[in-house]
Structure formats: C-alpha cells, structure tokens
Amino acid sequence: MNAFLRNLSPTHQVAALFLIVFGVLTVVSIATLGVGLRERRNAAHGEAWLREFADFRALLRTTWFMVVVFWIGWALGPGVATLLFAFIAFFALREFITLSPTRRGDHRSLILAFFVVLPAQFLLVGSARFDLFTVFIPVYVFIAIPVVSALANDPSHFLERNAKLQWGIMVCVYGMSHVPALLLLSFPGYEGKSAFLVFFLVFVVQTCMVVQHLIARRFAYLPPDEADAARHGLRGTLRRWLAREPFAPNVSRSFNWVSWGLGMAIASVVGAAMSFITPFKFGQALAMALIACVAGSMGHLVMKALKRDRGIPNWGKKGVGVTGANGLLDRVDALCFAAPVFFHSVRWYFGV
C-alpha cells in the first residue's frame, strides 16, 4: 500500500489523502448519527453524557468544516485558496469587531482594516512576497491604524479602541493569511505536495485540541469529598492521575497542565508519525508538531480570555454566530495562532 501511494503523482497523492480523510469522517458521522437517533428514541444516559456527546458533535462539525475548506482550496489551486481564506478572515474579523464596541471615530479605521489591509495582505501572500507580507501588518498597519483614528478627532478611549482593532487584525487577518502561504512554500523534491503541509498543521493542532478537550471533560476536577467517592475502578485510577484543578479558572474551567501536556505529547507523536507526507524527518516533524500545538493551544486560551472579557461563552452561541458567520472564530482560533508560528519556524529552519 505504501509503495503504491509513493508511486502516485503528487496530485493523486493529495487526492488520495482527502479521500481517506473524507471516508473516515463519513464513517464517524454515520456512527454519531446512529447513536444520536438511538438516544432520542430510547434515552439511556444522563445529562452529563448528553453534554459530552454534544461537545463531540461540535468537534466533528468543526473538523468537517476545516477539511472541506482545505479540500476546496487545494482543488481550485493556490490562487483560489488564497481568496477563500481571505473570505474566512473577513468573516472572522467581522465577528470579532461586532463584539468590540466602536464609535463613530472608528469608521475610517474599520474601512481601512476591511477594505484595504485585508485584501492587501492576501494579495501579498498570493504574489509570494513573503518578506513584505510578514511585516506589512505588524509594522505599517499598526502605525497607520492609530494615525487614521487620530485624524477622526475622537480621543475618547483612544488606546483601548485602537488596541482592539489592531488585535483583531493580527489574529483574524495576519494569522489566517499564513495558512495559504504554506501552499506557496517550495521545498526541493517536494514540488506539488504543499497541501500536505497544510493538512499536517491542521491535523496536529486539531488532534491536540481534541485530546485536551476529551481529557478535561472526562476527568474534570472534583472537590476532595466528591473525588474520594469516585476513585474506584480503572476510571478512578485514571482520575487520580488526570483530574487537576483548572490553572486559570476565570478564563477556562477545562485548562490544566496535565491535559495540556498530554495533548502536546500525543499530537507531537502523531505529527512525527506523519513525517512521511512532509519534507521533514521524524525528529523534525515531532518538533514542528510540538511548536504548532503549543502556539495553537495557547492561542485558544487567549481567545477564551477575550470571550470572558466580552461576557460570552462562545463566539457563536449554540451554533449561531453573532454575525451570521456561525461561530467562525471558535473553529479557527487555534489555527490563527499556530499558522504564523509554524510558517516562520519552517522557513527559518529550512531556509525556504
């Protein structure tokens, strides 16, 4: 089987990859649908199980969304992929800004962000001007935004308003623009296979987030009196090792160092096992997966802090986005942080 795949052309190899992924997701989705229908006809579980099942379905929908987006991007070519991710960045920024109070004096800055900065950034990506697109937003845009805001003659909450807009541009536009940029990297002997790099990044980051989520949910921290009653059997033994008090409970009730460390370890090993589809050797793939997972998981925690600051549990409550984007930031927040760190780590280490 391995020899057969290696003998395929790069285009057919990528197509085979997507075929396998879609097949696995279809099987899992059918099984999930069957379990849901059976539970609806004959309820056999409590509310805690139903909440976990709902969370799993949400993760499955997120995985479907990301796979479909990347498949469309690969099928239509790097140019269309760049345009597709530009639209995703647009809706993500729109969702972010909607939850950030603005004033009349911000209108010019918002027009600059949505209709000048965003298209210019992705145009630079599409033209493979890597040295310019990596500094365009952190240098030029971060200077231009407060200048335009100052010219609007509205000093009220000036620093806070500009910082929110700059942060939104950095996460939603700058971070997302590095995903299609991966498709344009050129490794010797790896021509036509850059889609594997994108798949590698998304898969390891998503694996890390899923592992953390499942461990934190299945082995949630309990008060000492309740924990003593739950320490029987295999699950009780696992709970003693895995259940830890949240490290930052005001930001996330599910984040603790044990689940985080296990997520890092498992996703990194998965990344190393996938080294054969990348230009990396085993140890290099392990290190790159670890770097991407650290950035993605910490970015997810940062976005949770922003949601708590705004007083919302999700960017799209109950699957309905606050701007019609269907909770887009909940689906791509880890990727927005992981992509630029991964991209620049790869370019720096391999000199591409």
Side-chain angles (χ1 to χ4, degrees):
M1 183 66 176
N2 186 43
F4 170 75
L5 291 175
R6 288 184 179 275
N7 288 330
L8 294 176
S9 67
T11 300
H12 289 148
Q13 287 179 349
V14 177
L17 171 67
F18 278 112
L19 186 63
I20 293 170
V21 172
F22 277 124
V24 172
L25 285 177
T26 299
V27 171
V28 174
S29 298
I30 292 174
T32 302
L33 178 62
V35 172
L37 292 175
R38 185 181 63 182
E39 184 66 22
R40 185 174 299 178
R41 289 196 304 264
N42 184 21
H45 299 89
E47 291 186 5
W49 184 91
L50 292 175
R51 284 196 300 269
E52 291 181 1
F53 185 65
D55 290 336
F56 176 78
R57 291 172 62 186
L59 285 171
L60 185 61
R61 287 194 299 269
T62 298
T63 304
W64 266 110
F65 170 80
M66 298 178 77
V67 170
V68 169
V69 166
F70 293 124
W71 174 76
I72 293 174
W74 167 76
L76 299 181
V80 176
T82 302
L83 183 62
L84 176 64
F85 282 103
F87 278 109
I88 294 175
F90 178 90
F91 286 112
L93 181 61
R94 180 171 173 243
E95 194 166 65
F96 183 93
I97 295 299
T98 299
L99 294 176
S100 303
T102 57
R103 295 168 58 87
R104 181 179 295 273
D106 296 322
H107 290 179
R108 294 177 184 175
S109 299
L110 291 173
I111 291 173
L112 178 67
F114 279 98
F115 302 109
V116 177
V117 173
L118 191 151
Q121 175 72 3
F122 280 89
L123 184 63
L124 292 172
V125 171
S127 59
R129 298 180 182 274
F130 294 143
D131 292 336
L132 182 55
F133 105 84
T134 54
V135 299
F136 174 63
I137 286 178
V139 178
Y140 300 100
V141 173
F142 270 34
I143 293 175
I145 290 292
V147 170
V148 172
S149 185
L151 292 173
N153 194 33
D154 185 1
S156 179
H157 301 286
F158 183 85
L159 179 60
E160 180 182 358
R161 287 161 37 216
N162 282 276
K164 288 177 180 176
L165 181 55
Q166 289 173 325
W167 182 246
I169 294 173
M170 193 69 182
V171 173
C172 302
V173 180
Y174 186 78
M176 184 58 65
S177 68
H178 284 76
V179 180
L182 286 171
L183 296 172
L184 302 175
L185 289 179
S186 179
F187 289 86
Y190 197 70
E191 291 79 8
K193 300 181 182 180
S194 296
F196 283 125
L197 271 182
V198 179
F199 176 81
F200 175 86
L201 171 64
V202 174
F203 192 84
V204 296
V205 171
Q206 189 71 359
T207 298
C208 173
M209 301 309 302
V210 168
V211 171
Q212 288 186 53
H213 174 83
L214 291 178
I215 292 176
R217 290 285 185 177
R218 297 292 294 177
F219 303 100
Y221 176 77
L222 297 175
D225 53 341
E226 296 182 26
D228 291 337
R231 288 184 176 179
H232 302 291
L234 178 61
R235 178 160 182 156
T237 302
L238 291 174
R239 180 175 291 279
R240 283 200 302 273
W241 287 98
L242 300 178
R244 293 292 184 272
E245 190 172 359
F247 182 78
N250 292 330
V251 173
S252 173
R253 297 291 300 173
S254 61
F255 181 85
N256 64 74
W257 291 120
V258 171
S259 63
W260 181 81
L262 285 174
M264 295 295 107
I266 293 174
S268 298
V269 171
V270 169
M274 295 171 60
S275 61
F276 67 95
I277 69 169
T278 72
F280 313 140
K281 297 178 181 178
F282 184 88
Q284 294 169 341
L286 179 72
M288 290 301 169
L290 179 61
I291 290 171
C293 290
V294 170
S297 60
M298 289 297 139
H300 182 68
L301 184 66
V302 169
M303 296 304 284
K304 277 193 172 183
L306 290 175
K307 288 188 287 187
R308 299 300 177 267
D309 178 59
R310 296 293 91 196
I312 57 172
N314 298 291
W315 294 105
K317 187 176 181 181
K318 295 183 179 180
V320 179
V322 293
T323 67
N326 202 29
L328 189 60
L329 273 174
D330 287 319
R331 305 185 181 199
V332 300
D333 55 0
L335 188 61
C336 287
F337 282 79
V341 176
F342 179 77
F343 176 87
H344 292 293
S345 298
V346 169
R347 282 201 73 206
W348 169 75
Y349 186 82
F350 293 97
V352 294

